[in-house]
Amino acid sequence: MVMFLFLVVALAVVVGAVTLAVVGGGEGEGPLPEAAPERLRDALPEDRPVARTDVDALRFPLAVRGYRMEDVDDALNRLAAELAERDARIADLETALAGPRAAGPRAAGPAAPEDHHGHVSVQKPVPGEPQ
């Protein structure tokens, strides 16, 4: 019975000491300082386009309820902007490439039935055009 009372009193003293340390009781600098929120350490590169390895290496710090929304939003906005820029560039290149393809072989003149390597042309003659 004496041992049980001793353990209860010891537990109460430990809980009281921890509580005072946390809330700033006694002679000290006050309560525990606020921890600075963890920030995104390895952000996406600003000096070059984002590569696949950059996205693979991207790790978001955890917050109280998951990831820091601001860091995730910044990364997604950056990726969206770069993808839109690349899509626009691809569309421009496809448009530029479609121009010469639309003119096609007719702009170069009629094809010979056989070239100097012995390959046979698969181009069909157009009715009404000279051969």
Side-chain angles (χ1 to χ4, degrees):
M1 180 72 175
V2 174
M3 185 64 148
F4 177 73
L5 289 175
F6 174 74
L7 288 176
V8 170
V9 170
L11 181 63
V13 169
V14 170
V15 170
V18 170
T19 302
L20 287 175
V22 170
V23 297
E27 299 172 13
E29 298 176 7
L32 294 176
E34 287 290 322
E38 189 178 354
R39 299 295 301 169
L40 185 60
R41 287 184 297 270
D42 299 324
L44 297 172
E46 297 292 330
D47 57 339
R48 62 180 171 77
V50 176
R52 167 74 187 255
T53 55
D54 297 324
V55 176
D56 289 341
L58 190 60
R59 297 291 176 260
F60 296 104
L62 293 176
V64 176
R65 295 187 199 167
Y67 295 104
R68 291 182 49 82
M69 197 179 320
E70 180 180 330
D71 292 338
V72 175
D73 287 345
D74 289 345
L76 290 176
N77 288 337
R78 170 80 188 277
L79 290 171
E82 288 203 16
L83 287 173
E85 182 179 324
R86 289 178 189 174
D87 288 346
R89 178 74 177 138
I90 289 170
D92 289 345
L93 291 172
E94 286 177 343
T95 302
L97 188 60
R101 282 188 183 169
R106 291 184 191 182
E114 190 171 316
D115 64 7
H116 64 278
H117 293 292
H119 297 117
V120 177
S121 172
V122 294
Q123 185 177 20
K124 295 181 181 177
V126 177
E129 281 191 4
Q131 296 191 14

